[in-house]
Amino acid sequence: MNEPLYAAIWRGKTNGSFSTYEVPRHESQTVLDVVTYVQRHLDPTLAYRFACRVGMCGSCAMSVNGTPRWTCRTHVAKVVRGNTVRIAPLAHLPIIRDLVTDMREFFDKWTRAKGDFVGTRTRRDDFARVAPNSPERTAADAGVECIGCGVCYAACDVVGWRADFLGPAALNRAWTLVNDARDVGGRIRLRAVAGDAGCHACHTQGSCTQWCPKQLAPTAAIAGLKRATAKAAVRGEL
Amino acid sequence: MINVVTQAKLWYWQRLSAMVLALCVVSHLAMIVYASRGGLTAAEILARTRGNAPFAAFYSVFVAACAIHVPIGLKSIAVEWLRWRERSASIAAAIIALALLVMGFRAVYAIFV
């Protein structure tokens, strides 16, 4: 623990470079602790983003040694190589400065995937009754805990290859709504997530599922969307 | 630009043709290994394939499955890895589909007649 830690941190915009800082090692130190130490003690101009520090808000995701991770819940001991940790902004998103990315495109794609709930009930209606063990409720449960951190989006090769690809998070969101018994936006949503910008561009490489910090499986959600669009296409409803 | 419904249909066509190809390729390889155990000449091959309708039917299915499966995959590779535009990739894929159909059926015809 007395060995120093060297944090190579991305500085600047797209054409920036890594700067290395010497940071004291601590037990149970997280990558976010390292970045915070640098900003508070070594270079106050370092820009980064965080809020809750407990893995709920999804704002502190960064690329750590080339892998997208939620930095507040990533222990240095788990990812350090020798005594160096390399911290960069998330891939596939424009860099605003240092470790801060512009996430507009990521969230705009949720809108494009029709990720908003479309209901018919009003406040005067009774609650919808959804059987907790129904297959639809189970499928929605599997994807509903997404915190929107962008780790899956940065991990996905197809996002890097196709600028218009909606990405794992937006498609996962669409799949939870496809399985929401109260939602009536089904047909429009399936059309929005079909094709080469949607679920059919996925090569099932599974990087999103491998790195999702919440252990969700967007790969399975995308496979579900492929099945749902196939059924709709056969019925002529796509 | 191909519309999303067509894009989705092409994906399912590629998936279905992959299933057909899986069977065709395995049968094709098994047939080659089995038939060529003691050496095989062109004349011997033609003697077995000429007028053999099931043989011609099998390879017609094989050719059709290739002509569907390959261009759709190449189009994705061209767009994603070579950064081709959607339209150029689609045109190239259509040409490759046509070439596979012509060359494939020409070969089937040559061993059947």
Side-chain angles (χ1 to χ4, degrees), chain A residues 183-199:
Chain A
D183 185 276
V184 294
R187 191 168 172 174
I188 295 167
R189 186 173 299 109
L190 279 184
R191 212 180 158 90
V193 299
D196 292 344
C199 62

Side-chain angles (χ1 to χ4, degrees), chain A residues 43 79 163 172 199 217 224:
Chain A
D43 188 347
V79 293
N172 178 72
C199 62

Side-chain angles (χ1 to χ4, degrees), chain A residues 5-9 11 19-23 38 42-43 45-46:
Chain A
L5 175 73
Y6 296 98
I9 298 179
R11 302 304 309 268
S19 297
T20 303
Y21 304 89
E22 190 179 322
V23 178
V38 171
L42 304 178
D43 188 347
T45 66
L46 174 66

Side-chain angles (χ1 to χ4, degrees), chain A residues 162 196 200 203 226 229, chain B residues 7 11-12 80-81 83:
Chain A
R162 289 183 181 270
D196 292 344
H200 295 100
H203 293 303
K226 284 173 178 169
T229 47
Chain B
Q7 287 171 357
W11 190 88
Y12 296 110
E80 292 177 6
W81 288 17
R83 307 265 168 198

Side-chain angles (χ1 to χ4, degrees), chain A residues 57-183:
Chain A
C57 73
S59 53
C60 71
M62 298 168 200
S63 173
V64 182
N65 284 340
T67 300
R69 293 183 183 275
W70 53 357
T71 55
C72 70
R73 300 289 300 273
T74 302
H75 281 204
V76 170
K78 188 181 167 187
V79 293
V80 70
R81 287 181 192 157
N83 53 5
T84 303
V85 61
R86 201 174 169 86
I87 307 165
L90 279 183
H92 304 149
L93 292 163
I95 301 169
I96 295 173
R97 184 161 72 86
D98 302 341
L99 300 171
V100 179
T101 55
D102 182 349
M103 296 188 76
R104 272 179 296 185
E105 180 70 354
F106 172 71
F107 288 113
D108 283 351
K109 284 177 175 177
W110 289 48
T111 313
R112 256 180 270 157
K114 305 289 175 198
D116 49 331
F117 173 74
V118 186
T120 53
R121 287 167 188 260
T122 69
R123 65 182 66 189
R124 288 169 201 85
D125 294 317
D126 195 6
F127 289 110
R129 283 178 169 70
V130 181
N133 297 325
S134 66
E136 290 79 14
R137 177 69 231 194
T138 311
D141 271 349
V144 85
E145 296 292 346
C146 174
I147 56 173
C149 64
V151 161
C152 58
Y153 192 80
C156 175
D157 283 339
V158 182
V159 170
W161 295 331
R162 289 183 181 270
D164 59 349
F165 179 51
L166 295 170
L171 293 170
N172 178 72
R173 170 64 184 162
W175 177 238
T176 63
L177 289 171
V178 165
N179 285 289
D180 191 326
R182 306 161 304 160
D183 185 276

Side-chain angles (χ1 to χ4, degrees), chain B residues 6-74:
Chain B
T6 311
Q7 287 171 357
K9 284 181 180 166
L10 284 174
W11 190 88
Y12 296 110
W13 275 107
Q14 199 191 20
R15 185 53 79 88
L16 287 172
S17 58
M19 294 175 191
V20 174
L21 280 177
L23 292 174
C24 287
V25 169
V26 169
S27 312
H28 176 65
L29 292 176
M31 201 171 348
I32 291 172
V33 170
Y34 174 76
S36 62
R37 281 165 306 156
L40 200 60
T41 64
E44 282 171 327
I45 295 173
L46 287 175
R48 291 176 197 180
T49 60
R50 287 217 163 118
N52 188 338
F55 207 87
F58 172 80
Y59 279 100
S60 296
V61 171
F62 201 157
V63 166
C66 282
I68 293 167
H69 188 84
V70 173
I72 301 172
L74 287 178

